[in-house]
């Protein structure tokens, strides 16, 4: 049977970084991984973290746990019939309830082929400390992702003081006393720790948090018509409401030949140069992002 790990965690917590580290470690030991990635938006930005020799299937424009069960089954079937691999890693969208997402994996078609090892939830420690600023629905999802984990990756501890780290660790343990907590920076989780988890799913009541029901999380695609000034762009980012949780894509900046790879999570920005010209688009994810004035005050000179 093929072991399956489900990577959960809120938007911008570090799931894709975790995925990259896990893939690298599996390959070093001679184990061939395959990946299924789920994104809310239309563009597969995060799939760039997966190397070309790793079998990959993508689910775009929707959440596994809400409308994607049939798509997930089809992707699994294509992987199992068309690829040879030893372990399957499923990265859910940050808006997915982990148990609902995992239920989408189960099918009589695969019962004899897949062994669900468990849920690894990446918890953004910095966001945890400010969780009361979230809307009640979104905070509920954040807590559910941690509550149902079989292993908690307490990420971004490099941004916290020793006192804050102790506080977060105690509070996470109080919410989920059975899951080991591993403190990390940049989601660097040792593979031997991950392999020790074994899933059990009958002990906890599941509180439904599907998008379109309790949650108002949505994604929005913005296409740039011309380059923008980096300083003005970053000023606009600082004015965004707390309900914008994640942005990613390619931003055309004045003075640069190609759009830069752009990542935004919880007020933190990352820019990476691109060697080729990518579509000048970003995906914005958060609560009711249709109400955001997208780049309304950005200068183009």
């Amino acid at each position: 049977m093929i072991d399956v790990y489900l990577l959960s965690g809120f938007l911008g917590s570090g799931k894709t970084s975790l995925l990259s580290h896990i893939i690298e470690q599996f390959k070093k030991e001679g184990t061939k991984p395959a990946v299924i990635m789920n994104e809310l938006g239309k563009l597969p930005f995060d799939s760039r973290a997966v190397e070309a020799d790793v079998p990959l299937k993508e689910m775009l424009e929707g959440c596994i746990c809400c409308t994607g069960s049939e798509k997930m089954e089809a992707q699994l079937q294509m992987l199992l019939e068309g690829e040879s691999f030893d372990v399957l890693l499923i990265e859910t969208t940050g808006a997915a309830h982990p148990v609902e997402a995992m239920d989408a994996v189960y099918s009589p078609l695969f019962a004899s082929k897949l062994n669900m090892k468990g849920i690894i939830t990446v918890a953004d420690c910095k966001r945890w400390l400010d969780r009361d600023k979230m809307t009640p629905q979104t905070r509920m999802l954040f807590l559910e992702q941690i509550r149902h984990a079989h292993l908690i990756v307490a990420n971004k501890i490099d941004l916290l003081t020793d006192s804050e780290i102790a506080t977060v660790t105690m509070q996470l343990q109080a919410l989920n006393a059975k899951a080991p907590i591993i403190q990390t920076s940049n989601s660097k989780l040792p593979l031997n720790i991950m392999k020790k988890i074994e899933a059990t799913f009958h002990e906890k009541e599941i509180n439904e948090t599907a998008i379109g029901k309790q949650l108002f999380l949505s994604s929005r695609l913005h296409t740039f018509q011309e380059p923008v000034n980096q300083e003005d762009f970053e000023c606009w980012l600082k004015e965004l409401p707390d309900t914008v949780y994640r942005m990613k894509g390619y931003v055309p900046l004045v003075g640069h030949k190609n759009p830069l790879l752009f990542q935004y999570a919880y007020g933190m920005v990352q820019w990476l140069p691109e060697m080729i010209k990518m579509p000048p688009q970003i995906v914005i994810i958060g609560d009711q992002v249709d109400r955001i004035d997208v780049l309304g005050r950005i200068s183009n000179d």
Side-chain angles (χ1 to χ4, degrees):
M1 296 180 71
I2 296 171
D3 286 341
V4 181
Y5 296 90
L6 192 144
L7 309 186
S8 175
F10 198 67
L11 299 157
S13 60
K15 292 189 302 299
T16 303
S17 295
L18 175 63
L19 177 65
S20 297
H21 293 311
I22 292 173
I23 290 173
E24 180 182 1
Q25 292 178 81
F26 269 129
K27 292 173 73 173
K28 280 184 179 179
E29 70 169 25
T31 300
K32 184 176 181 180
V35 175
I36 292 179
M37 298 187 80
N38 182 208
E39 298 227 39
L40 279 177
K42 297 180 180 180
L43 301 179
F45 292 115
D46 287 344
S47 64
R48 292 168 52 85
V50 180
E51 298 177 7
D53 61 342
V54 176
L56 170 69
K57 296 295 181 183
E58 296 165 315
M59 294 178 59
L60 305 178
E61 290 192 90
C63 176
I64 290 174
C65 61
C66 306
T67 59
S69 296
E70 292 182 1
K71 291 181 182 179
M72 168 64 85
E73 189 171 302
Q75 299 286 36
L76 277 170
Q77 191 155 2
M78 284 190 286
L79 272 177
L80 290 169
E81 292 181 358
E83 302 284 354
S84 175
F85 58 95
D86 304 311
V87 61
L88 177 61
L89 306 170
I90 300 174
E91 181 188 338
T92 66
T93 169
H97 189 299
V99 178
E100 291 175 7
M102 187 174 54
D103 285 345
V105 175
Y106 286 105
S107 166
L109 294 173
F110 317 125
S112 63
K113 299 177 182 179
L114 300 178
N115 173 40
M116 176 59 73
K117 289 283 285 182
I119 299 165
I120 303 171
T121 294
V122 184
D124 183 332
C125 293
K126 189 72 174 175
R127 190 186 294 278
W128 173 265
L129 292 174
D130 291 335
R131 63 192 180 281
D132 290 341
K133 295 180 181 179
M134 294 177 165
T135 63
Q137 298 91 346
T138 306
R139 184 169 62 251
M140 176 183 172
L141 172 62
F142 188 34
L143 298 178
E144 284 288 287
Q145 289 172 338
I146 294 167
R147 180 171 171 251
H148 290 280
H150 299 95
L151 175 64
I152 299 171
V153 178
N155 195 32
K156 304 184 184 180
I157 61 167
D158 52 311
L159 303 178
L160 274 58
T161 65
D162 290 344
S163 174
E164 288 174 331
I165 292 172
T167 297
V168 170
T169 302
M170 282 194 304
Q171 291 175 345
L172 291 176
Q173 197 71 73
L175 183 63
N176 185 342
K178 295 188 177 181
I181 298 175
I182 307 301
Q183 298 172 352
T184 66
S185 297
N186 200 29
S187 299
K188 291 185 177 179
L189 174 70
L191 191 61
N192 64 317
I193 293 177
M194 188 182 90
K195 286 183 175 182
K196 292 178 181 178
I197 66 173
E198 291 291 345
T200 54
F201 307 110
H202 58 279
E203 300 173 356
K204 302 172 186 175
E205 178 185 354
I206 301 171
N207 295 314
E208 204 174 280
T209 55
I211 299 174
K213 296 180 183 177
Q214 289 88 353
L215 287 178
F216 297 97
L217 285 174
S218 60
S219 67
R220 179 174 179 177
L221 181 68
H222 177 80
T223 302
F224 296 88
Q225 302 303 319
E226 49 190 20
V228 298
N229 179 280
Q230 183 172 353
E231 183 177 348
D232 290 344
F233 184 81
E234 291 183 349
C235 285
W236 172 76
L237 292 174
K238 293 177 182 178
E239 296 176 356
L240 289 173
D242 293 336
T243 52
V244 176
Y245 301 119
R246 184 85 161 99
M247 277 190 274
K248 51 191 175 181
Y250 302 95
V251 179
L253 296 180
V254 173
H256 292 265
K257 180 181 178 181
N258 297 320
L260 273 66
L261 176 61
F262 165 74
Q263 300 271 358
Y264 171 93
Y266 195 56
M268 291 180 286
V269 178
Q270 181 182 36
W271 297 98
L272 292 173
E274 274 294 331
M275 301 304 295
I276 59 176
K277 189 174 181 63
M278 301 298 290
Q281 298 175 318
I282 58 172
V283 171
I284 305 168
I285 304 172
D287 284 313
Q288 301 173 319
V289 294
D290 56 308
R291 300 180 182 180
I292 300 296
D293 183 16
V294 181
L295 310 179
R297 301 184 217 172
I298 295 299
S299 168
N300 292 312
D301 52 38

